Amino acid sequence: MKKKNMLMLALCFSATASLWAQKIDNLVELKQQSKNPLFHHLAPAPKAPAFECEDYWSWGSSVVKGGDGKYHMFVSRFPKSLPFHPGWMVASEIVHAVSDVPQGPYQFSDVALPARGAQYWDGRSTHNPRILKHNQKYYLIYMGSTHPFADPTYNELTLTSPWCIVARSNKQIGLAVSDSPYGPWKRANQPILGPKPETFYSFFTSNPSPVIQEDGSVMMIFKGRAHTENGKYSGMSLGIAYAPSIEGPYTVLNNDQPIFQVDGQGEAEDPFLWKGAAGYHVIFKDHVAKYTGERGGGVMAHSTDGINWAVDKDPKAYSKTIEWENGEVAMQGQLERPFILFENNKPTHVFFATMDGPGEFENGTRSWNMVIPLK
């Protein structure tokens, strides 16, 4: 009987996993019927990439309108001479691209945060950029990491290789400042938020999403993992930190407890935080399909204090299935790192990192940054 129950459970899991991976054929109807304030307003997406870089994988992006009237994208890229996962951990750099219009296409301009040597905490990889403009200065908040080894080959770099093990455990959150989106960028020599023993972020900190508030203080959602007794690391949790100014110091709120955690909301990652008249809002990746019924779909939640969160009554904020401007409806292999562009305090475009293929990073042959206008 026990074996039979285990078999039935496995079959149910397999069927559910298959369901998660299916294209949503009635996407247009679902968006029309949705009460979610983001999902309902997603317009058809341009098929042309907002940004793509030949010979490189490109991933999460963030956009700001500069004093020159142009739109400036800061985006991660890393060479295709390495596998996508975990190539980003050991060889990513944040580059700057420019467009006259928010939807792009964005043209490569310069490397904003290149590798700068293993002795620096962010010396071998900069990733997950968030660009902010405040008091005529530009601030890049990002994840950085380092490792002491020579550059790996494609076949040497695996999730269990020394490069990955060391680089993953060195992930921390940092800050760079410039008077111009074209740089030069002054990087802090120490991270602004690193791991802390005996917390949910004792292993690493990553995926920062900050907002600068009216008084200049900052609230920042971030991802953390903890060390575990078996010598490995925990699932992903999200926490929130506060700083009196963007340069810090940063203090993790909620008594060093996560605001979204594995045992509560299920694994969540790729948060994007913003603040409006009604308080704080976040969208994040529904990693295990707990709220949206779609693994990798987007969830929306709301809070008045940034600590206590309620998931939206209609939680689905976006889908891996995309409605394109040419009328096609198709599912992406991956859809991550959401970023909402606001102009005059109104959301106008949502940017995503995306990938072709049937899903899972090892199946992709091409990655780019896409945009969905809001109507």
Side-chain angles (χ1 to χ4, degrees):
M1 180 64 70
K2 188 172 182 180
K3 288 184 177 178
K4 182 179 179 182
N5 289 341
M6 290 295 289
L7 177 61
M8 290 299 294
L9 182 63
L11 289 172
C12 288
F13 179 81
S14 176
T16 303
S18 177
L19 178 64
W20 290 345
Q22 289 179 349
K23 185 183 93 170
I24 300 175
D25 291 317
N26 63 335
L27 177 76
V28 176
E29 181 182 358
L30 286 178
K31 289 196 297 183
Q32 290 172 345
Q33 295 174 350
S34 174
K35 298 289 193 285
N36 186 281
L38 183 63
F39 191 51
H40 179 73
H41 292 285
L42 294 178
K47 195 76 173 180
F51 177 80
E52 190 172 17
C53 200
E54 187 176 2
D55 297 327
Y56 287 87
W57 302 106
S58 64
W59 211 232
S61 67
S62 181
V63 176
V64 67
K65 190 173 185 179
D68 56 1
K70 296 181 183 294
Y71 294 85
H72 299 266
M73 174 184 281
F74 291 83
V75 55
S76 303
R77 75 171 189 182
F78 43 105
K80 281 193 167 183
S81 58
L82 295 174
F84 181 95
H85 188 48
W88 60 271
M89 287 189 210
V90 302
S92 180
E93 59 185 5
I94 294 172
V95 301
H96 169 219
V98 184
S99 174
D100 291 329
V101 292
Q103 67 269 24
Y106 286 79
Q107 302 299 320
F108 174 84
S109 171
D110 54 88
V111 179
L113 300 183
R116 59 172 179 165
Q119 70 270 30
Y120 292 97
W121 71 270
D122 62 347
R124 302 302 290 270
S125 181
T126 57
H127 199 65
N128 290 352
R130 277 299 313 277
I131 184 68
L132 301 166
K133 184 182 180 184
H134 182 65
N135 290 340
Q136 305 308 310
K137 285 188 177 292
Y138 295 85
Y139 297 90
L140 260 177
I141 289 184
Y142 61 98
M143 180 222 84
S145 186
T146 191
H147 66 82
F149 311 113
D151 292 338
T153 65
Y154 191 101
N155 292 329
E156 286 177 324
L157 185 62
T158 68
L159 290 172
T160 57
S161 66
W163 293 271
C164 180
I165 292 171
V166 173
R168 190 196 292 272
S169 65
N170 279 331
K171 289 163 58 177
Q172 301 181 78
I173 295 170
L175 174 70
V177 186
S178 176
D179 292 327
S180 165
Y182 296 91
W185 293 91
K186 182 180 179 182
R187 296 195 228 182
N189 284 329
Q190 297 295 326
I192 60 171
L193 185 61
K196 180 179 178 180
E198 299 183 1
T199 67
F200 74 92
Y201 57 103
S202 63
F203 187 63
F204 69 59
T205 57
S206 183
N207 292 28
S209 184
V211 291
I212 300 177
Q213 306 188 102
E214 296 83 355
D215 62 357
S217 64
V218 173
M219 291 282 273
M220 181 174 72
I221 285 185
F222 68 98
K223 182 176 87 173
R225 289 187 192 263
H227 282 283
T228 57
E229 292 181 359
N230 61 7
K232 299 201 176 188
Y233 50 84
S234 70
M236 298 175 289
S237 296
L238 300 182
I240 192 156
Y242 169 85
S245 74
I246 194 164
E247 296 186 5
Y250 285 79
T251 302
V252 177
L253 304 180
N254 200 31
N255 296 315
D256 273 331
Q257 296 300 310
I259 55 173
F260 294 98
Q261 58 187 318
V262 176
D263 296 334
Q265 293 81 7
E267 283 196 286
E269 65 171 334
D270 292 350
F272 175 79
L273 176 70
W274 74 100
K275 189 178 183 183
Y280 300 94
H281 313 275
V282 69
I283 53 176
F284 59 85
K285 178 182 173 184
D286 192 3
H287 197 66
V288 294
K290 180 165 184 176
Y291 293 108
T292 63
E294 179 186 1
R295 186 180 181 185
V299 182
M300 179 178 284
H302 312 281
S303 173
T304 57
D305 59 5
I307 297 172
N308 301 288
W309 290 84
V311 171
D312 196 86
K313 293 179 181 178
D314 195 348
K316 193 180 192 70
Y318 59 86
S319 171
K320 284 175 67 177
T321 299
I322 301 297
E323 177 191 5
W324 300 104
E325 284 183 341
N326 63 4
E328 179 187 0
V329 174
M331 189 179 75
Q332 299 301 99
Q334 299 287 348
L335 192 78
E336 297 191 346
R337 304 287 192 268
F339 169 82
I340 302 176
L341 177 66
F342 288 81
E343 294 204 69
N344 299 319
N345 296 318
K346 293 183 179 180
T348 60
H349 297 79
V350 189
F351 293 81
F352 293 95
T354 193
M355 179 179 277
D356 66 354
E360 305 305 328
F361 293 119
E362 64 270 17
N363 295 321
T365 63
R366 172 185 168 224
S367 68
W368 66 99
N369 292 84
M370 61 169 289
V371 61
I372 303 179
L374 295 174
K375 56 186 178 181

